[in-house]
Amino acid sequence: MEETTPELLPRETVLQIRDTCLCLAAQRAARRLARRFDAVLRPFGLTNGQFSLMVALNQPDPPPMGRLAPFLAMDPSTLTAAVKPLARRGLLTVEPDPDDRRSRLLHITPEGVALMRQAAEVWRSAHAALDAQLPSGLPETLRQGLAAVAAAPPPAPLNPGKDDL
Amino acid sequence: MEETTPELLPRETVLQIRDTCLCLAAQRAARRLARRFDAVLRPFGLTNGQFSLMVALNQPDPPPMGRLAPFLAMDPSTLTAAVKPLARRGLLTVEPDPDDRRSRLLHITPEGVALMRQAAEVWRSAHAALDAQLPSGLPETLRQGLAAVAAAPPPAPLNPGKDDL
DNA sequence: CCATGTTAATTTGATATCAAATGATTTATG
DNA sequence: CATAAATCATTTGATATCAAATTAACATGG
């Protein structure tokens, strides 16, 4: 009797997705890097994402959430949530923009700066170690490529189209 | 009176992190790509991560969770959680490995295969659109680079070292 | 055979993530 | 000016993510 193999996707399809999907490749790399930097930042009680957010607050003028979300390529609601543990710890404060009370400005606190001074040191050495671990030239290439991907506009969302009708 | 600028990290440090951190670049690109593929897969009720997981189940022998977690570069506990909504929908089943009842094999169901047939089609066109949007050669370069990053072993975790003592 | 150690997966608790709906303001229009 | 439309943020509900602690099962030494 022939054992009928259970029906699956064509093998070539599976291999194509597995080997070429940029989304999958990006998620994997992002998870690995996240764990790596989470580990070195753990002594400061920061995750890699919190670190990136805090870095972005080091500007003369406190940035509004509406600018940070696009910069981090995250949904506004994600930023709202991300800010809470940091505000709770007193590393930043959220203040309405006097010139537009819808907008909220994120101020880094002195405690936040103090913590970031140390965290930035650790970041530096951790990133140097990562660079040293990768084939020469790859870091720059990757940065460029990832930036291009992050900048690529989403495909026209096939939506009702405010233009039609 | 001199307005003393609030103390911040050195500007060059901020710019260095912002412009060179591979972790930040990866998180941003990963989020953008995730949203993009989440959008096209939404009609099937699948996220990009669920899609990748389901693709990996298209093997003659159902893979154990212990092999999938490393493949997806995710924590075992994350995989445990990720499997639940898919199992609830009947797209896969979780069965103990008869040869080692600690291990669990993930079987794709006929319903899962049927859904994936359609989803794979959509993936194909979505990915083609992405490729077309990027500078020629970049997709291949990125795949390679991301794979290298995902493969890079984590730095020796400076742990108690089971060897010492 | 049993005690010990090891490995696979899960649970728990916290943060991260997004879409959709809602609230709060501001801007534009009549 | 007053209503409508657009903008910024938040809430809600669901999945995603990991570390640490736990449970279940296998493996090994005695």
Side-chain angles (χ1 to χ4, degrees), chain B residues 12-141:
Chain B
E12 57 181 8
T13 299
V14 173
L15 294 182
Q16 185 191 15
I17 298 175
R18 211 191 52 171
D19 297 337
T20 70
C21 184
L22 282 177
C23 186
L24 172 54
Q27 304 304 321
R28 292 207 284 185
R31 281 192 284 254
R32 281 274 160 74
L33 288 173
R35 268 189 284 192
R36 189 178 179 123
F37 282 86
D38 283 354
V40 302
L41 293 171
R42 189 156 310 133
F44 308 106
L46 291 176
T47 64
N48 75 90
Q50 294 175 332
F51 176 79
S52 297
L53 172 50
M54 292 294 293
V55 167
L57 301 191
N58 280 275
Q59 300 183 32
D61 307 298
M65 299 182 66
R67 261 222 319 276
L68 284 184
F71 167 69
L72 297 170
M74 60 170 56
D75 192 88
S77 62
T78 302
L79 184 54
T80 295
V83 152
K84 291 187 175 175
L86 298 171
R88 210 182 308 137
R89 286 177 60 187
L91 301 178
L92 59 80
T93 63
V94 187
E95 309 286 353
D97 182 343
D99 295 347
D100 181 347
R101 297 201 315 275
R102 291 171 300 181
S103 181
R104 313 245 167 156
L105 305 179
L106 298 186
H107 300 255
I108 191 170
T109 63
E111 294 77 31
V113 174
L115 189 69
M116 287 305 289
R117 275 191 218 291
Q118 309 176 62
E121 282 309 307
V122 169
W123 173 87
R124 208 185 295 276
S125 64
H127 207 277
L130 172 60
D131 277 354
Q133 206 177 348
L134 297 176
S136 121
L138 183 56
E140 294 73 24
T141 302

Side-chain angles (χ1 to χ4, degrees), chain A residues 83-104:
Chain A
V83 151
K84 292 187 175 176
L86 298 172
R88 212 183 306 138
R89 286 177 60 187
L91 301 178
L92 58 79
T93 63
V94 188
E95 309 287 351
D97 182 343
D99 296 345
D100 181 346
R101 297 199 317 270
R102 291 171 302 182
S103 180
R104 312 247 166 154

Side-chain angles (χ1 to χ4, degrees), chain A:
Chain A
M1 280 306 173
E2 285 285 353
E3 269 292 341
T4 57
T5 299
E7 310 221 15
L8 296 174
L9 294 186
R11 183 144 190 76
E12 57 181 8
T13 299
V14 172
L15 294 182
Q16 184 190 14
I17 298 175
R18 210 191 54 173
D19 296 337
T20 70
C21 185
L22 282 178
C23 186
L24 172 55
Q27 304 305 319
R28 292 207 285 185
R31 281 192 284 253
R32 281 273 160 74
L33 288 173
R35 268 189 283 191
R36 189 179 180 123
F37 282 86
D38 283 354
V40 302
L41 293 170
R42 189 156 311 135
F44 308 105
L46 292 176
T47 64
N48 75 90
Q50 294 175 331
F51 176 79
S52 297
L53 172 50
M54 291 294 293
V55 167
L57 302 191
N58 280 274
Q59 300 182 31
D61 306 299
M65 299 183 64
R67 261 222 319 277
L68 284 184
F71 167 68
L72 297 170
M74 60 171 55
D75 193 89
S77 62
T78 302
L79 184 54
T80 295
V83 151
K84 292 187 175 176
L86 298 172
R88 212 183 306 138
R89 286 177 60 187
L91 301 178
L92 58 79
T93 63
V94 188
E95 309 287 351
D97 182 343
D99 296 345
D100 181 346
R101 297 199 317 270
R102 291 171 302 182
S103 180
R104 312 247 166 154
L105 306 179
L106 298 186
H107 300 255
I108 191 170
T109 63
E111 294 77 32
V113 175
L115 188 69
M116 287 305 289
R117 275 190 218 291
Q118 310 176 62
E121 282 309 307
V122 168
W123 173 87
R124 208 184 295 274
S125 64
H127 206 276
L130 172 61
D131 278 352
Q133 206 177 349
L134 296 175
S136 123
L138 184 56
E140 293 74 24
T141 303
L142 262 179
R143 264 189 282 284
Q144 270 206 324
L146 291 172
V149 166
L158 171 53
N159 55 9
K162 0 179 181 191
D163 301 336
D164 331 355
L165 257 199

